[in-house]
Amino acid sequence: MLRTMLSIRLFEQRVKQLYRAGEIVGAIHLYIGEEAIATGVSEALRRDDYVFSTHRGHGHLIAKGGDLKRMMAELMGKATGCSRGCGGSMHMFDPSIGFMGGNGIVGGGIPLALGAAFSAQYRGADSVAVAYFGDGGMYQGVLHESLNLAAKWKLPFIAVCENNRYAATTPVAKSAASHDFSTYAAPHGIPGVRVDGNDCLAVHKAAKQAVARARAGQGATLLDCETYRVEPHCGIIPDDRPQEERDEWGRIENDPIERSRRRLKITQPQFAKLRAEIESGLDEAVEFARQSPMPKIGSCDA
Amino acid sequence: MRKLTYIDAIVEAMHEEMARDESVYVIGEDVDIKGGVWKGTVGLLEKFGAKRVRGTPISEAAFTGLATGSAMTGLRPILEIMYMPFCYVAMDQFLNQMAKLPAMSGGQIKLPITIRAQAGAGTREAAQHSQSQEAIFLHIPGFKVVMPATVYDAKGLLKSAIRDDSPVLFIEDRNLYYEPEEVPEGEWLVPLGQADVARTGKDVSVVTLGFPRRKALAAAKQLEGTVDVEVIDARSLEPLDMDTIGASVMKTGRLLVVHEAPVRCGAGAEIVRRVVAEYFDYLDAEPRVLGGANLPLPFSPVLEDACLPQVNDIVNAVRQMA
Ligand SMILES: Cc1ncc(C[n+]2csc(CCOP(=O)(O)OP(=O)(O)O)c2C)c(N)n1
């Protein structure tokens, strides 16, 4: 899991550089600081399980086994991209590994995941479907409709709230009467679990239970993963979150990757080696993307 | 030949397609309760079971998204919208998700979804239950749109829609539901994208969308002896059969489009645009669109009728053009 988290982190740092350099354009939402969630969840998933992602989805795809080259190419709008240059950062797809797309609409992917869960149940497959969404997704009616249906029909549906405390610039405290979103599960009679979203083991443990439950035909689970986004919301939006709060979450002991490194007793030289391996893969990915052709006009006509 | 109603033709099409393909299922409000509010799902629950006939809570956004997600992962949903204006509740799921996922995925996602939308006007149910919305879905790339006006087409087009690999909006008119018409025995398909020449004539081409087909035929009958009207039922708006419409315009030089939606930005305006672009030299008169009034449909019967194109309006419009 450490490797996955670090891959996400370093991928995102590359994206940030390339975005600053103008090689990547568009709306880019970085996952830095939240890596433990996708990593812990995907560690509990199989290739034939489905993931429906959000606008902040690079990490979700990497954790699901996404190909860094094709992802980088997609970000540069190239024909070799994982959506053939038709989707970009928010709309990466790789159905071959069950990654069913990012989404530009807050909450938009939730009922789609519900549908994949329905489809698995219908076909008698034991796949499960994960819907990721931010705390912002909690305010969309469709989440509550979906939890109700998932509970009632006992669908293999796992709703994962990545509660990074902000929806763009709006803090949870300003939007929600209840701050513990795991309680939203109770009315539907499904488990709601609040977890430390910066601890990949804690996330993994909760996800494993949810997946086991879903596979066994016992239905849905809601996970509320507490985390913090390190970067500004999006490339273009200034960050005006309180400095003390950022400092507190930014402390090295709170970093999901560092926490994992310390727990695994990985030494700094070992860590540097791992890092170098991943960086060289990223060099290749960037080079692949740069060398790839632009899509032909008309190639996105579905 | 035998007699069949439009709604029974729809039921029959679904019976046949569900028997043919295990991945086809029906989802919507009350579809599993006594054959649904409109009797549009009669016998399906008994025949195919609760797994494939899914009555839902009143959660349009969730079950529309669910249908899309299930289509992304191998199923072929038939999504029933009890009254078409209710789909506004799920508009993100329709226009942002369903319409766009195939293209944004670079073609990796296919969405074989049939949306059975019950529409129509003139039933005194006021504006939130009566509105012609085809133009909205035509304007958003990503949907095929059909509007069957006969029993034969209801069955044949629905079967083609279910077998199609993209989202097809199948707009039903409740005014047509329960009147039997003669149809053949057995199975048939009507391909998407083919207009039907409902009546041949040489003076004026009247292209209709959905229910006004009947009114145009009645108008043509009244005009017999004075104006020889050709009535073309477009049947499918996307894809649109420009060949059939164009051939008619080449013959008559005169085009009138009739639909119940308001004229402003309506499907008729688009048909006229295409005829002007492709058949300009054949036109002998300014092409016209006759549509509904530009307002939310009023409840009061006198007001509602005045808002919809009637047989007399068609007669008058044709007379002015001929
Ligand atoms: C329906 C909808 N409304 C508004 C937006 C604009 N928007 C994009 S991201 C975002 C904040 C989302 O916050 P959250 O869901 O908590 O996810 P996070 O960005 O924190 O990961 C907003 C408001 C949108 N994309 N979709």
Side-chain angles (χ1 to χ4, degrees):
Chain A
M1 285 197 268
L2 180 64
R3 175 182 279 273
T4 305
M5 288 195 289
L6 192 57
S7 294
I8 297 172
R9 171 76 50 93
L10 298 177
F11 181 89
E12 294 291 61
Q13 285 173 351
R14 276 306 167 99
V15 171
K16 190 173 158 185
Q17 284 166 15
L18 293 165
Y19 183 74
R20 290 219 170 121
E23 278 193 75
I24 290 175
V25 296
I28 302 290
H29 304 82
L30 299 175
Y31 197 58
I32 294 177
E34 309 185 31
E35 297 91 345
I37 302 173
T39 302
V41 169
S42 265
E43 189 72 13
L45 299 178
R46 296 191 315 230
R47 189 185 170 94
D48 62 346
D49 290 326
Y50 300 108
V51 164
F52 288 74
S53 171
T54 62
H55 54 288
R56 198 179 298 289
H58 306 169
H60 303 150
L61 176 49
I62 293 174
K64 193 72 176 59
D67 180 64
L68 300 184
K69 289 183 180 162
R70 294 179 61 222
M71 288 179 69
M72 201 56 93
E74 186 63 30
L75 289 170
M76 293 194 194
K78 298 299 181 78
T80 53
C82 54
S83 305
R84 300 178 194 161
C86 306
S89 168
M90 290 192 279
H91 307 291
M92 296 202 190
F93 287 81
D94 194 344
S96 68
I97 54 168
F99 188 81
M100 306 309 288
N103 214 299
I105 301 298
V106 170
I110 297 169
L112 301 177
L114 185 74
F118 172 85
S119 160
Q121 186 193 62
Y122 185 101
R123 289 178 282 115
D126 67 348
S127 302
V128 306
V130 172
Y132 289 106
F133 50 91
D135 42 281
M138 279 290 176
Y139 316 132
Q140 289 283 359
V142 75
L143 169 74
H144 304 275
E145 294 181 21
S146 299
L147 287 179
N148 175 57
L149 265 174
K152 181 67 205 155
W153 292 358
K154 282 206 168 13
L155 298 179
F157 174 72
I158 301 163
V160 180
C161 179
E162 302 185 301
N163 187 350
N164 62 18
R165 297 172 175 237
Y166 286 85
T169 50
T170 307
V172 169
K174 182 159 175 274
S175 299
S178 158
H179 297 183
D180 181 353
F181 292 130
S182 64
T183 61
Y184 285 33
H188 305 292
I190 60 171
V193 188
R194 182 159 241 212
V195 284
D196 177 349
N198 279 19
D199 177 356
C200 65
L201 277 184
V203 174
H204 178 56
K205 185 164 162 246
K208 221 163 96 178
Q209 275 172 7
V211 170
R213 203 180 124 76
R215 272 206 223 296
Q218 291 164 354
T221 301
L222 169 64
L223 304 183
D224 181 23
C225 306
E226 286 187 280
T227 185
Y228 198 72
R229 129 172 91 64
V230 169
E231 295 288 322
H233 169 63
C234 179
I236 44 176
I237 292 180
D239 200 347
D240 50 9
R241 293 173 299 174
Q243 192 59 48
E244 320 79 80
E245 183 186 280
R246 280 153 71 180
D247 291 345
E248 172 59 22
W249 279 93
R251 274 175 36 218
I252 190 78
E253 308 82 76
N254 284 330
D255 183 87
I257 296 176
E258 181 60 17
R259 281 172 68 177
S260 178
R261 187 193 70 79
R262 289 183 186 181
R263 188 161 46 211
L264 292 168
K265 300 197 168 60
I266 306 276
T267 64
Q268 285 298 353
Q270 285 171 317
F271 190 66
K273 188 163 162 277
L274 179 61
R275 194 182 172 103
E277 269 171 44
I278 296 169
E279 290 285 12
S280 92
L282 284 168
D283 290 341
E284 281 175 40
V286 172
E287 221 23 57
F288 171 81
R290 284 184 178 142
Q291 301 302 327
S292 290
M294 282 295 177
K296 288 207 181 58
I297 303 297
S299 59
C300 295
D301 304 358
Chain B
M1 292 298 241
R2 59 183 167 135
K3 291 256 186 184
L4 191 69
T5 63
Y6 187 100
I7 198 73
D8 287 342
I10 286 169
V11 171
E12 199 173 282
M14 290 192 291
H15 270 275
E16 289 172 11
E17 293 306 305
M18 288 178 77
R20 180 177 174 269
D21 184 345
E22 188 80 35
S23 64
V24 176
Y25 74 96
V26 171
I27 186 163
E29 289 155 20
D30 294 352
V31 295
D32 58 346
I33 299 177
K34 296 187 182 143
V37 177
W38 302 101
K39 299 286 165 242
T41 50
V42 171
L44 294 177
L45 177 70
E46 294 72 11
K47 177 93 179 283
F48 300 104
K51 174 184 158 194
R52 297 180 67 192
V53 183
R54 308 297 295 229
T56 65
I58 306 168
S59 303
E60 285 85 1
F63 72 72
T64 301
L66 185 155
T68 305
S70 74
M72 294 172 86
T73 51
L75 303 188
R76 305 183 80 86
I78 303 172
L79 171 66
E80 182 182 310
I81 301 290
M82 193 184 277
Y83 277 83
M84 192 160 167
F86 301 170
C87 73
Y88 291 135
V89 177
M91 234 32 177
D92 174 60
Q93 287 302 323
F94 280 113
L95 304 190
N96 250 332
Q97 310 295 341
M98 196 189 290
K100 297 178 183 174
L101 295 174
M104 289 194 307
S105 69
Q108 295 173 92
I109 300 290
K110 298 245 180 300
L111 295 179
I113 302 171
T114 302
I115 306 145
R116 278 190 50 222
Q118 182 280 121
T123 50
R124 324 316 186 194
E125 291 171 271
Q128 290 183 338
H129 287 71
S130 304
Q131 185 163 44
S132 299
Q133 294 159 264
E134 67 275 2
I136 295 171
F137 286 83
L138 283 172
H139 190 68
I140 305 297
F143 296 98
K144 293 180 179 168
V145 181
V146 297
M147 291 178 82
T150 67
V151 174
Y152 183 87
D153 291 345
K155 180 171 171 187
L157 283 171
L158 183 55
K159 285 168 69 80
S160 294
I162 294 168
R163 293 184 195 186
D164 199 89
D165 276 342
S166 39
V168 181
L169 176 62
F170 182 89
I171 303 179
E172 302 168 12
D173 193 308
R174 59 180 167 276
N175 294 289
L176 298 169
Y177 272 168
Y178 307 115
E179 233 179 89
E181 288 173 15
E182 291 226 314
V183 293
E185 301 288 338
E187 274 198 52
W188 64 89
L189 293 171
V190 173
L192 309 178
Q194 259 183 30
D196 175 37
V197 182
R199 182 187 199 279
T200 51
K202 59 177 183 358
D203 297 332
V204 177
S205 305
V206 176
V207 173
T208 61
L209 277 55
F211 188 65
R213 170 189 169 118
R214 291 187 168 198
K215 292 179 176 171
L217 286 171
K221 199 151 186 76
Q222 277 189 33
L223 288 160
E224 254 169 31
T226 46
V227 189
D228 190 14
V229 177
E230 179 146 298
V231 178
I232 296 173
D233 175 357
R235 294 201 290 201
S236 165
L237 305 182
E238 175 60 43
L240 181 66
D241 182 0
M242 277 308 289
D243 290 346
T244 299
I245 295 170
S248 179
V249 168
M250 283 162 75
K251 178 168 65 172
T252 63
R254 292 175 160 78
L255 171 69
L256 173 70
V257 184
V258 187
H259 56 51
E260 289 191 340
V263 169
R264 187 175 72 192
C265 299
E270 174 61 9
I271 293 173
V272 165
R273 182 193 69 78
R274 291 193 57 182
V275 166
V276 168
E278 297 168 39
Y279 298 91
F280 186 74
D281 291 344
Y282 297 94
L283 287 168
D284 297 322
E286 175 201 341
R288 283 190 56 185
V289 183
L290 192 60
N294 200 19
L295 78 176
L297 276 181
F299 158 69
S300 168
V302 278
L303 297 179
E304 187 179 33
D305 290 344
C307 286
L308 299 168
Q310 305 298 346
V311 176
N312 259 346
D313 302 317
I314 302 173
V315 168
N316 290 338
V318 169
R319 280 221 178 95
Q320 284 164 19
M321 294 177 75

